[in-house]
Amino acid sequence: MEHIRNFCIIAHIDHGKSTLADRLLEYTNTISQRDAQAQLLDDMDLERERGITIKSHAIQMDYELDGQKYILNLIDTPGHVDFSYEVSRSIAACEGALLIVDAAQGIQAQTISNLYLALENDLEIIPVLNKMDLPGAMPEEVKDQIVELIGCKREEILEASGKTGMGVHDILKAIVKRVPPPVGDPSAPLQALIFDSVFNSFRGIVAYFKVVNGEIRKGDKVKFFATEKQYNADEVGTLKLNQLPKDVIKTGDVGYIISGIKEAREVKVGDTITRVDRPCASGIQGFEEVKPMVFAGIYPVDTDEYEELRDSMAKLQLNDASLVFEPESSAALGFGFRCGFLGMLHMEIIQERLEREFDMTVITTVPNVSYKAYTTKGVELHVNNPSDLPDPSKLDFVEEPYIKATIITKSEFVGPVMSLCIQKRGSITNQSYLTSDRVELTFEMPMGEIVFDFYDKLKTISKGYASFDYHQIGYRQSDLVRLDIRLNGEPVDALSSLIHRSNSYDFGKKICEKLKELIPRQQFEIIIQASIGAKIIARETVKALRKDVTAKCYGGDISRKRKLLEKQKKGKKRMRQVGNVEIPQSAFMAVLKLD
């Protein structure tokens, strides 16, 4: 055990984690030149295309220092705020963390929140200045920021460049010297923490774990604590570039287990594996339950595919434990699922993965957050879907979730950032200068306002220089109304939204105008209305397509033409009674990008 080091890499998005991980693998000869490629650990096409890490990836390296061999287990983590749950799981399996800061950009919001996660778990932090080869690098200034943040000594900060490979050997040495070896009792009963799992269509579900106490052998009978189900360990091994089967995995090491599990529900991330004949007394306290921030409905385009969608979501949940879903039905779209996501990017990625990996075409409804509604009789209701909101006559008041948002930006963008937050009903609580030109702003604002496009707008007005992080601070009462969209008098529940009364008129008008552009013209006229309760606040009309029925009447009496027009009018009237309006998927998504 003295020769094992488990560490993860944490940083803000785009600070060069994956590139540095590539260099570490290359310098320890874990990969041959033939297998080498950029962002080696990002194995999803989606991660490569967008240049972001979505999944945490574990890989084992061998390293020799002063004639002594060491095993290094590296976990590369995502940097986007939406995937912070992945980071918290990786941290639970480590004793040390490389904190990577871009020498040109300095410390950003996500750097700080990931750092706090690591410090709560008592990890040894090794600060690394990355991208030292850039002409815009400001090593001295950024070092001041790091010293102020962590309170380390200046000489402890390592300088490196993932692109050129500068300083990589120093990082490897520092990992061996500074990161403590894992602690555990090799002779105790087996205790192993599951921190990830993947689905393999040939071998069932593969769980990744870290052995905290004891050891696990091939062929052992094991049981999972949360579900109390028993399995045979058909294969155990370590994670090199490919899975490498071993006979035994000892205390402190990270590995995988294949035991022919077919049901996705049976593997819970954060669960403990132990042996049947010599069980441990208690499960390992892993990481907290995930808190979804944004709720949206996902429905199959074809209602027959409901069961298939359920299977696809269960397999996706294995790979991404922060996805939460439960069945629901909608009058407009049939059966589907109410899903909880960690943010808008997370929602977009899940939708994209369903389409790519499982060939499912899905419709996503307007995302919203969960509210608390109180009826006049004093009953508290949790409202995840605007259509669950009780009738206004029975409603006493509604509370919505508030968040505390931290925005770090350059001082020249303070004005626009403040006006954006105030426009989103936020109030500023604190403003402090970290350095002469970096400001930290703290706001309290309703979470429903940041769901749609807040992050994108923030990036636009600050030319990409603002970084954003938030956490919930509880519920507050506010004046919210349910805005319904009606097509020919029928409410479309998938387009309803809960919105502040002051914004409702503008929002209703914009939605109606947008839908008028997107809904194709039919043989009958379509009336689009936005309403609050029974009160209509906006209306647009999609005109009917009509055939020129009088074209064949040349001259003659007017009554002949009138007869044809009357006949057409009757037909149109009958058609409006039976005709129903198909809403294209683009209409649901366009509501998100109204401005």
Side-chain angles (χ1 to χ4, degrees), residues 94 122 143 151 157 262 289 309 391 447 459 527 557:
C94 293
D122 294 335
K143 273 185 186 176
I157 302 172
K262 295 180 183 61
E289 277 291 299
L309 181 62
D391 197 65
M447 195 161 134
K459 284 285 186 214
I527 297 164
D557 191 46

Side-chain angles (χ1 to χ4, degrees), residues 91-257:
I91 285 176
C94 293
E95 281 83 36
L98 291 183
L99 178 76
I100 293 185
V101 182
D102 185 328
Q105 292 186 22
I107 286 175
Q108 309 218 313
Q110 196 59 27
T111 318
I112 296 176
S113 71
N114 283 346
L115 174 72
Y116 286 152
L117 270 178
L119 289 173
E120 273 168 28
N121 286 314
D122 294 335
L123 299 199
E124 176 65 36
I125 308 284
I126 302 178
V128 177
L129 264 190
N130 196 17
K131 305 197 185 178
M132 287 295 293
D133 57 316
L134 287 183
M138 323 169 288
E140 295 310 314
E141 293 171 30
V142 180
K143 273 185 186 176
D144 291 341
Q145 293 176 20
I146 296 178
V147 169
E148 203 171 299
L149 184 69
I150 316 179
C152 62
K153 299 192 179 76
R154 271 184 94 86
E155 54 273 17
E156 285 177 8
I157 302 172
L158 305 174
E159 297 185 359
S161 159
K163 192 160 146 198
T164 60
M166 154 193 168
V168 174
H169 282 301
D170 299 341
I171 294 178
L172 287 164
K173 274 184 202 151
I175 290 166
V176 172
K177 293 258 166 57
R178 295 197 213 167
V179 176
V183 287
D185 180 358
S187 57
L190 168 70
Q191 255 190 329
L193 173 76
I194 300 179
F195 65 90
D196 205 357
S197 53
V198 290
F199 179 77
N200 179 326
S201 45
F202 300 106
R203 312 204 55 183
I205 288 157
V206 184
Y208 296 162
F209 60 85
K210 175 194 176 188
V211 183
V212 179
N213 289 317
E215 57 181 37
I216 183 168
R217 287 184 179 277
K218 185 177 172 174
D220 275 352
K221 262 194 98 62
V222 295
K223 76 167 186 179
F224 286 20
F225 240 77
T227 55
E228 297 209 328
K229 295 234 163 124
Q230 302 186 0
Y231 307 101
N232 278 330
D234 299 337
E235 181 183 308
V236 294
T238 51
L239 301 155
K240 286 283 171 104
L241 191 51
N242 299 318
Q243 293 170 345
L244 191 70
K246 290 260 178 84
D247 286 332
V248 59
I249 293 188
K250 299 196 164 135
T251 314
D253 217 344
V254 174
Y256 70 91
I257 176 171

Side-chain angles (χ1 to χ4, degrees), residues 25 55 80 103 108 122-123 136 166 171 180 182 242 260 282 284 293 329 366 394 417 444 448 514 528 545 580 584:
L25 295 176
K55 233 5 244 143
H80 195 281
Q108 309 218 313
D122 294 335
L123 299 199
M166 154 193 168
I171 294 178
N242 299 318
S282 64
I284 303 164
M293 297 290 186
S329 62
V366 182
K394 295 181 184 146
V417 169
E444 288 183 0
K514 197 77 185 174
I528 305 167
L545 291 166
N580 57 356

Side-chain angles (χ1 to χ4, degrees), residues 12 21 24 33 45 51 61 82 120 168 170 283 291 336 355 367 391 411 455 488 544 548 552 578:
H12 190 80
L24 292 172
Q33 285 297 319
D45 297 341
M61 309 181 286
D82 281 11
E120 273 168 28
V168 174
D170 299 341
K291 299 188 287 283
E355 285 178 9
D391 197 65
S411 49
Y455 194 61
N488 283 349
D548 189 0
K552 61 177 190 253
V578 297

